[in-house]
Each structure stands twice: as structure tokens, then as C-alpha cells.
Amino acid sequence: MSLIVHKYGGTSMGSVERIKNVARRVAKWHAAGHQVVVVPSAMSGETNRLLGLAREISESADGRELDMIAATGEQASSGLLAIALQAAGLQARSYAGWQVPVRTDSAYTKARITAIDDKRIRADLDAGRVVVVTGFQGVDDEGHITTLGRGGSDTSAVAVAAALKADECLIYTDVDGVYTTDPRVEPDARRLSVISFEEMLEMASLGSKVLQIRSVEFAGKYRVPTRVLSSLTDPDIPLDEEMRSGTLITFEEDEKMEAAVVSGIAFSRDEAKVTLLGVPDKPGVAYAILGKVADANIDVDMIVQNQSVAGTTDFSFTVHRNEFARTLALLTSQVAPAVGASSVVSDDKVAKVSIVGIGMRSHAGVASLMFKTLAAENINIQMISTSEIKTSVLIEDKYMELAVRALHKAFGLETAAPTKI
Amino acid sequence: MSLIVHKYGGTSMGSVERIKNVARRVAKWHAAGHQVVVVPSAMSGETNRLLGLAREISESADGRELDMIAATGEQASSGLLAIALQAAGLQARSYAGWQVPVRTDSAYTKARITAIDDKRIRADLDAGRVVVVTGFQGVDDEGHITTLGRGGSDTSAVAVAAALKADECLIYTDVDGVYTTDPRVEPDARRLSVISFEEMLEMASLGSKVLQIRSVEFAGKYRVPTRVLSSLTDPDIPLDEEMRSGTLITFEEDEKMEAAVVSGIAFSRDEAKVTLLGVPDKPGVAYAILGKVADANIDVDMIVQNQSVAGTTDFSFTVHRNEFARTLALLTSQVAPAVGASSVVSDDKVAKVSIVGIGMRSHAGVASLMFKTLAAENINIQMISTSEIKTSVLIEDKYMELAVRALHKAFGLETAAPTKI
């Protein structure tokens, strides 16, 4: 007997029929002798509907009240799933976040889980019940309801799995796993049967939408074996087949994983670049620039400072495209005069393309194959940023799909066999 | 400075515009120096939508899970109202039932309030906040969410007012008070400016839909001055005008109230009548019949046992029309054979019409004027039931409106002057 946590996204919970299918799938696992905890999202569209009403009333709504409102979508779907499980012949009980309780800090609309009490869940599991834990929400130390931000149900599920020391956390979603890149861009993209935690973390932070990044962090911190798999298969497919499907996030670097130099290609069009030209090069200049940007609550992604020439340097960084206008206004009105920059140039027609692979740690030449491939396609690289297991480049955004496809081919990702470099 | 509790029904909370109007009305009270607690219902249609989804999944859904689902409608509208109050320049905070907490028993879908902790509300009021308390819901001793049944937000509001010893509980609704009878049946129906608690209790139990009966019981038990008034007026009408509008439920029998013999006419078409004919008349026969009906969880309303003739009697009672088929099956298959009745006759084309008035206590002849009026219209009375302050008759349902109009005129209810008898 294993203890398994299932998480179902909004699409999987999107209608009465789909909720019944979720119940059938859970019943199959229960019938095979497993203890099951289920974490459902709100029915698709519900969170947007609720927050849309709040926005109609006020554009600057209080976070505490937004969480009161948003938390109801998941609570309703949890009750509906419990009823569907009972109709499928199981004993089931649903709990709102505060009932477990799932404790969080008080950062409304983007709270972080601090602790999960497993007593109530365990007592129900031991009594033979399936337990439905409402995702996306918790309760702070003062008893106020909090939510975890978009995609937070992934984090709820992994955190519950960690608290219960579950054998596996299954994230059921509308894709059947993690791919080498987005199949809509590269039709030869291949599903990975395993991916290392570190690679998944990079993929998530670089724009892959499969898992919320904080859920991956949680999985890593507590070493929760986590599998991304499809909720759109027949709920009655054989259990052993389902147990091997999808993509498993692992924490051991086995031989198979060593063999792959690059596991996937991530990309994001949410980028904008700003450059301060002719900045006098003296100690403290980076802080003088980025300190002001941080004070304005703008997240900076890639940062490049060029070699000083004749005592001045050019300083570039990227921000989310939504923050582009605000960043540019801040730089021209305050930062550039303060640091004595000669001018500000900017570009929001850029995209970031990244190769990710744990094998890059021990393989030289990976980055240079990337640069060679892009050069062969006549794609100019504007910025480069590297970490131990990924290399990202900023390019003109119209070349993004071309770059992804060329790199996918160059690193041989369409087959499971490793690429020689 | 007074402490006032406002309650707004689903229609009053039915759209973003209406929620903003509620906020404007509350802001007016707050600006006049009053402390205000607001108890909103779910947006109209929301509870039906949620329970409809549950019913689509299972017709025999678990009460605990139904309450998990249904409670979300009020929680969302409470958060929306808090945001609207903040947008109107007030400090406001909303609480779900469990956060107050509003404690109830564990009778899911029809729980009863057992206690309300006023500490959290009072602290917020003292800090200058408007407090929004989610209606219709509470939490039981094991920390499970409960709901109070349809119309339960009325009860929540009156109970909160009782716990806080509020100066007045204002029930804002889509009618502008309590009428002598339903104006859709009798256009000359007149709004009562005051009604005694006992009369309101009878009106509510006899089919007047203005207030949930349990809220009236609560108001009486804790002597909460409660006013029913319209939420459809301009939210900016002068406060003193609003304070005199609607119908006030009072606990003192002042002269004005003594003067009116009959205050109102209630009616209900939700009736069905069953009669056991030729029941051997011996001690215990009423229990032998009604005990089995009670065991089947069927509520009985009017009960009539006729004078015994030749050792047998006829035994009639009424039930809610929804329970008619079940009652009839029970009587014919089990009860009639058990008590030796000769046959069972039944009729679900009946209606109950009641006159209600605290003056009936001290005035003879009220019932006989009722019977005379109905006789003059050729309306046959099938059953009669009386209490200290009401007389109800069961009649063929096609005569119901005619009976209401004739009685309204006979008792002079279209004018505030008392009728001589």
C-alpha cells in the first residue's frame, strides 16, 4: 500500500462530467489498495470570474478580501469532488485550507506555505477515506484566509505530499508530460520520461508552463517524487500503464540522465531590454542603477555589463515586458541623470531562448554548439546569460521559433539517444 | 452612536452595481456615526447554481459536502462587499462564519446557531471598521462548515445583532416591509409600520416569505429590534427617512397595536390533506398514526380528529405538498392496516388561509367573522386550526385568492383604522 497525492487542474475539473472522471480515476487507485489524497483546482474559468467581479468593483482591491473571494472557487470544487467520490462508492471528505490547516505567511494573493498539519488527513486515511484537500489556499497565523497565487494548487499538492511523506505526487494536467520543448513550436518535440529536479526548476523558471516554479522548489526541498501526467486519458486505463506515463521528476542522477547533455529548450517572449549607454565606470554603479529598479518593485532577469572603454561602460538588463514602460520611465527620468549615463536605448521586441541540461555541468562545448547553430541561421545574439545547467540567449523575437527548432535539431532532442559533442 | 446590523438579501447583492449601492448605503450610516455590521447573502442565483452542480453529480449528496459547496456563495459576496466598502472610503473587513466564529450544531444544510463570539467583531468596530459577517453559515464543534438552510442569512443577521446587543437589526430586502397580505393577491394590501413579534412569527410560519421563521424566533428570544425595509430605494435617501421606513417588529404591545384585531392574512398553497376513515377510536390511535409519520421524517401541520361515531373516528392531517406522495404511500401500505382504518382519502388541491392578530386574544367574534365571510363567498371550510393569535382554515385551492381578498376587506385591513366587531 502506498500513499499517493493526486492533483487535478482547472481543465480536469472543468465540468460535472470531468469531475466524475476524476472520481473514477481516484477510485481505481483506491481499489488497488492505495491511500489517496486529492488536491483539486477550481473549475476552469471560476477564479477569473470571481476576480473579475472584484476588479469591476475596485481596481485596487485589498489582498485579504481578494483571497476571501478567490479561495471559494477551490472550496466549491473540493466539495463537488467529494460528492463525486461518494457517488463512486468511496468514503470521502473535503477540507478547506484552514481546516487542515495549511499554514502560510500573510502575503495575500501570493502567500507561502509554512507548515501543514497532517493529523486530520492521516486520521481520515486510516479510517479508509479518500481525503480532498482544497488547493491554492491556506490560513495565516491570525486566522485570515490566504491564497498562493496562480498555479498555487501545484504547490499545495507537492506540499501536502511532503507533509505526508507520500510515495508519489501525481500532477494530472492537460498535457501528458514535460517535453523537450513546446510541441506547438517544434512538432518533433519529445516527451521526457524522467527529468532531474534541477532541470525542471530551470524549465519552469524559463517559461515552461507545465508546473508552477514554487511547486518544483518544494518538490526539491522535500525530495517529493513528482510525476506530471495526463488527466485526459481514459480514467479506467490499467494502473501500471498510468504509473509509467508522463514525466517523473527525479533527484538521483542515474546513468541515463548523465547521458543526455541537453534535456530541453525553454523560451519566453515576455522580455524587454533596456541599456544605459556611456555610464562612467566606477565602483557602485551597478547598485546605483539596479537599487532604484528594485525599489520600484521591478524584477530584473538578465544583466550584462560590458568591458569598460575609455572609462565608461554600457549597462543592459531585461525585465518582464509588462514592466517595460515603467522601467523606461524610471531610467530616463531618474537613473540615467543620477549615474551620468549619456543615453538610454531600449527594445521590447526580444525573446529569450534557453538550453537546459544537467549534463552541461560536465560537458564542454555545449554553449558553443548553441552559438554555432544560431550563427548558421543568421540569428544575432544580443545578450548571453549562463548558469551551471542552462545557457540563455536574448534574440530578436521574430527568430524565436526558428531558434528553438534549430537548437532542438542540433542537440538531437527528437530522439532519446544522447548527442555527441 | 448606535450599533446597527444590516442584512442584504441575494437580490440586493445581485450585481456589481447593486453591491456598490449597498456600500453607499452602509457608508451613509457610518458617516452618521453608527457602528455597522453587514451580513450579506450570496449573489442571487449563486446558491442554486452551486447546489445544481452538486445535484448533477449525485441526487443523494452528503450534507457536509453540500455545505462546503453552498457556503462559498456567501463568502465570495462578503469579500466583494468588503472591497466595495473600501472603494467607498471605509475601512472594512469580511469574515467567514468559522472566522467569527458563528458556532452551530452539526445538522448540515439546516444547522442551528448555538453561540456567536463577538470579540473579533467588536475589536474591528472599535478600530473604526465596518465588519462584514458572512451569512447563512457557521462551524460546528469539530470544525466542519455548516449552513443554516434557505433564508439562513436572516437568522445570521438577527443572531449577530443579539450577540452584539445591537440597537437595531435592519433586514434590507426587495419588498419595503411586511404587508397585511401579499399585494400580488390583494392590491389594497397595506404595509404595516409595526408588527408584534408574535404576529410576525405566525405570519412567517404561515407562508409569508418576508422573513425566515427562525430569524423571527431569534429576534423574539433575544428581543432584537428588527426592521424589514427596502434595499431598492436610493441609497442616499436621508437617514431619518430610512430609519422610519419599512416594518418594525416590536416586543411591546402599545395602544396602537392593541387597536388592530387582525394585522394580516397569510396563505400557503404548499398543502396536502390526507384522511384515515373509520379508525377504531381507542386510546393511542393518534400516536399510532402520527408516530409512524414522524419516524419517516414527515412534518405534519394541521391535525383534526372528529368526534367518534359508533366507535370509529375520522383522522385528518396536512403535510407539505412535496411530501404528499410519500405520506400517502406510508398510510395505505402500513398505517391504515395497522390501526384498522377502513380507507384512506386524500386531496392535494387545498390551500391554507390564516388570519393573524394579537388582538384576537382579547376579542371574541374574530373567527366567526372569518367563517361568515367565507360562507358569503360560498367557500367550503375543510379543516380549522386555531391558536391564541391566529385562525387557519383549509379550503379548496382555487378559492385561495378570493378568500384572501374577501377577508382583507372584511377585516378592514386596507386602512389603518381598527375594525369593529
Side-chain angles (χ1 to χ4, degrees):
Chain A
M1 185 181 72
S2 302
L3 199 168
I4 307 287
V5 174
H6 285 200
K7 184 263 172 179
Y8 292 91
T11 311
S12 314
M13 294 288 295
S15 68
V16 161
E17 271 324 301
R18 288 188 178 177
I19 292 172
K20 288 181 178 172
N21 275 343
V22 167
R24 269 170 71 191
R25 195 180 295 274
V26 171
K28 177 181 68 183
W29 282 81
H30 191 264
H34 300 292
Q35 292 186 322
V36 189
V37 176
V38 192
V39 179
S41 295
M43 294 175 77
S44 55
E46 187 60 7
T47 307
N48 283 339
R49 184 184 73 83
L50 290 163
L51 294 179
L53 288 168
R55 237 188 332 266
E56 270 189 74
I57 292 173
S58 169
E59 280 293 344
S60 58
D62 181 29
R64 181 190 181 281
E65 301 302 329
L66 286 176
D67 282 358
M68 277 292 276
I69 298 163
T72 64
E74 273 75 12
Q75 184 176 320
S77 70
S78 291
L80 291 171
L81 180 56
I83 287 174
L85 289 164
Q86 290 167 355
L90 302 176
Q91 284 192 288
R93 193 174 266 181
S94 71
Y95 293 107
W98 65 269
Q99 290 180 306
V100 172
V102 175
R103 300 218 170 270
T104 72
D105 60 23
S106 299
Y108 299 117
T109 76
K110 48 179 194 289
R112 282 175 178 271
I113 295 174
T114 55
I116 294 180
D117 188 336
D118 68 342
K119 275 198 286 298
R120 203 160 194 172
I121 300 174
R122 244 181 233 294
D124 278 329
L125 290 174
D126 290 346
R129 292 196 183 100
V130 171
V131 181
V132 182
V133 173
T134 305
F136 179 61
Q137 61 179 253
V139 62
D140 73 8
D141 287 344
E142 282 76 45
H144 302 307
I145 293 172
T146 56
T147 71
L148 310 182
R150 284 301 165 111
S153 292
D154 288 345
T155 307
S156 300
V158 176
V160 164
L164 292 167
K165 298 180 179 56
D167 294 282
E168 202 164 301
C169 180
L170 305 182
I171 309 280
Y172 288 90
T173 179
D174 51 0
V175 296
D176 66 351
V178 180
Y179 276 69
T180 49
T181 196
D182 189 332
R184 284 169 298 188
V185 170
E186 168 55 68
D188 283 340
R190 184 174 49 83
R191 181 171 59 77
L192 298 162
S193 58
V194 290
I195 187 169
S196 76
F197 154 67
E198 291 88 347
E199 288 170 326
M200 191 66 228
L201 199 59
E202 290 284 2
M203 294 289 270
S205 66
L206 292 170
S208 165
K209 302 278 193 299
V210 174
L211 273 183
Q212 195 208 25
I213 186 162
R214 277 163 53 202
S215 71
V216 183
E217 290 169 2
F218 240 101
K221 187 167 173 190
Y222 296 99
R223 301 204 144 228
V224 180
T226 301
R227 183 180 295 273
V228 175
L229 70 174
S230 174
S231 69
L232 305 177
T233 56
D234 178 352
D236 298 324
I237 64 162
L239 197 64
D240 57 344
E241 190 180 322
E242 189 166 320
M243 290 174 86
R244 288 190 313 267
S245 71
T247 300
L248 179 67
I249 302 170
T250 63
F251 305 94
E252 282 95 45
E253 299 181 22
D254 62 16
E255 278 180 29
K256 182 154 167 283
M257 297 184 62
E258 288 264 339
V261 173
V262 168
S263 289
I265 305 199
F267 53 86
S268 164
R269 219 185 277 274
D270 300 331
E271 308 286 323
K273 180 181 74 167
V274 287
T275 303
L276 288 160
L277 294 174
V279 181
D281 191 12
K282 55 189 177 188
V285 71
Y287 176 69
I289 296 168
L290 295 180
K292 284 219 170 57
V293 174
D295 289 347
N297 249 321
I298 298 167
D299 277 340
V300 169
D301 181 13
M302 300 169 88
I303 303 169
V304 171
Q305 185 180 345
N306 288 356
Q307 174 63 41
S308 178
V309 174
T312 68
T313 185
D314 302 333
F315 193 96
S316 298
F317 59 92
T318 63
V319 296
H320 195 283
R321 209 173 276 190
N322 291 345
E323 303 285 10
F324 180 55
R326 211 153 66 86
T327 307
L328 203 54
L330 180 74
L331 290 190
T332 49
S333 68
Q334 294 180 44
V335 179
V339 301
S342 59
S343 63
V344 177
V345 296
S346 64
D347 187 357
D348 68 343
K349 298 275 179 294
V350 291
K352 184 170 65 172
V353 175
S354 311
I355 55 173
V356 176
I358 209 154
M360 289 166 71
R361 284 178 184 165
S362 48
H363 282 76
V366 176
S368 68
L369 176 56
M370 182 186 200
F371 305 151
K372 178 181 159 194
T373 304
L374 296 175
E377 298 292 346
N378 257 322
I379 299 170
N380 188 41
I381 298 171
Q382 302 182 14
M383 290 172 82
I384 299 170
S385 158
T386 60
S387 81
E388 220 180 341
I389 66 162
K390 67 109 186 154
T391 301
S392 297
V393 297
L394 199 73
I395 60 175
E396 198 176 343
D397 69 351
K398 71 178 180 186
Y399 294 123
M400 191 186 77
E401 288 84 356
L402 174 61
V404 169
R405 285 191 294 264
L407 292 169
H408 199 268
K409 190 155 198 288
F411 287 100
L413 292 175
E414 72 279 8
T415 64
T419 300
K420 302 273 186 302
I421 294 174
Chain B
M1 185 181 74
S2 303
L3 199 168
I4 308 288
V5 174
H6 285 200
K7 184 263 172 179
Y8 293 91
T11 310
S12 314
M13 294 288 296
S15 68
V16 162
E17 271 324 301
R18 290 188 175 177
I19 292 173
K20 286 181 179 174
N21 276 343
V22 167
R24 269 170 69 190
R25 195 179 296 275
V26 172
K28 178 180 67 182
W29 282 81
H30 191 263
H34 299 293
Q35 292 186 323
V36 189
V37 176
V38 193
V39 179
S41 295
M43 295 175 77
S44 55
E46 186 60 8
T47 307
N48 283 339
R49 184 185 74 83
L50 289 164
L51 294 178
L53 287 168
R55 236 186 335 265
E56 269 188 75
I57 292 173
S58 170
E59 281 293 343
S60 57
D62 180 28
R64 181 190 181 280
E65 300 302 330
L66 286 176
D67 282 357
M68 275 293 276
I69 297 164
T72 63
E74 274 74 13
Q75 183 176 320
S77 70
S78 291
L80 291 171
L81 180 55
I83 287 173
L85 289 165
Q86 290 167 355
L90 302 176
Q91 285 191 288
R93 194 175 266 179
S94 71
Y95 292 108
W98 65 269
Q99 290 180 304
V100 174
V102 175
R103 299 216 171 273
T104 72
D105 61 22
S106 300
Y108 299 118
T109 75
K110 48 179 194 291
R112 283 176 178 270
I113 294 174
T114 54
I116 294 181
D117 188 336
D118 66 343
K119 274 198 287 300
R120 203 161 195 170
I121 299 175
R122 246 180 232 292
D124 277 330
L125 290 175
D126 291 345
R129 293 196 182 97
V130 171
V131 181
V132 182
V133 174
T134 306
F136 178 64
Q137 61 180 253
V139 61
D140 73 7
D141 288 344
E142 282 77 44
H144 302 307
I145 292 173
T146 56
T147 71
L148 310 181
R150 282 301 163 113
S153 293
D154 289 345
T155 306
S156 300
V158 176
V160 164
L164 292 168
K165 299 179 179 54
D167 294 281
E168 203 164 300
C169 180
L170 305 183
I171 310 281
Y172 288 91
T173 178
D174 51 359
V175 297
D176 65 352
V178 180
Y179 276 69
T180 49
T181 195
D182 189 332
R184 284 168 299 189
V185 170
E186 169 54 70
D188 284 339
R190 186 174 48 81
R191 182 172 59 78
L192 298 163
S193 58
V194 289
I195 188 169
S196 75
F197 155 67
E198 291 87 348
E199 288 170 326
M200 191 65 227
L201 199 60
E202 290 285 2
M203 294 288 271
S205 67
L206 291 170
S208 165
K209 302 280 194 296
V210 174
L211 274 183
Q212 197 208 24
I213 184 159
R214 276 163 54 202
S215 71
V216 183
E217 290 170 1
F218 240 101
K221 187 167 173 190
Y222 296 99
R223 301 205 143 227
V224 180
T226 301
R227 185 180 293 274
V228 176
L229 69 173
S230 174
S231 69
L232 304 177
T233 56
D234 179 352
D236 297 324
I237 65 163
L239 197 64
D240 57 345
E241 188 180 322
E242 189 165 320
M243 289 174 87
R244 290 190 312 269
S245 71
T247 301
L248 180 67
I249 301 170
T250 63
F251 304 95
E252 281 95 47
E253 299 181 21
D254 61 18
E255 278 180 29
K256 184 153 167 283
M257 297 183 61
E258 288 265 339
V261 173
V262 168
S263 290
I265 308 205
F267 53 85
S268 164
R269 219 185 276 275
D270 300 330
E271 309 286 323
K273 181 181 71 166
V274 287
T275 304
L276 288 160
L277 295 173
V279 181
D281 190 11
K282 54 187 177 188
V285 71
Y287 176 70
I289 296 168
L290 295 180
K292 283 221 172 55
V293 174
D295 289 347
N297 250 320
I298 297 168
D299 277 339
V300 169
D301 180 14
M302 301 169 87
I303 302 168
V304 172
Q305 184 178 346
N306 288 356
Q307 176 62 39
S308 178
V309 175
T312 68
T313 185
D314 301 333
F315 193 96
S316 297
F317 58 93
T318 62
V319 296
H320 194 283
R321 210 172 276 192
N322 291 345
E323 302 286 9
F324 181 56
R326 212 152 65 88
T327 308
L328 203 55
L330 181 74
L331 290 189
T332 49
S333 68
Q334 294 181 44
V335 179
V339 300
S342 59
S343 62
V344 178
V345 295
S346 64
D347 186 358
D348 67 344
K349 297 278 181 292
V350 290
K352 184 171 63 171
V353 175
S354 311
I355 55 172
V356 175
I358 211 155
M360 290 167 72
R361 284 179 184 163
S362 48
H363 283 75
V366 176
S368 67
L369 176 56
M370 183 187 199
F371 304 152
K372 179 181 158 196
T373 304
L374 296 175
E377 299 289 348
N378 259 322
I379 299 170
N380 188 43
I381 298 172
Q382 302 183 14
M383 290 172 82
I384 299 171
S385 158
T386 60
S387 80
E388 223 182 336
I389 65 161
K390 67 108 185 152
T391 301
S392 298
V393 297
L394 199 73
I395 60 175
E396 196 176 345
D397 69 351
K398 70 178 178 185
Y399 295 121
M400 189 184 77
E401 288 85 357
L402 174 61
V404 170
R405 284 190 295 263
L407 292 168
H408 198 269
K409 191 155 197 290
F411 286 100
L413 291 176
E414 70 280 11
T415 64
T419 300
K420 305 271 185 300
I421 294 173

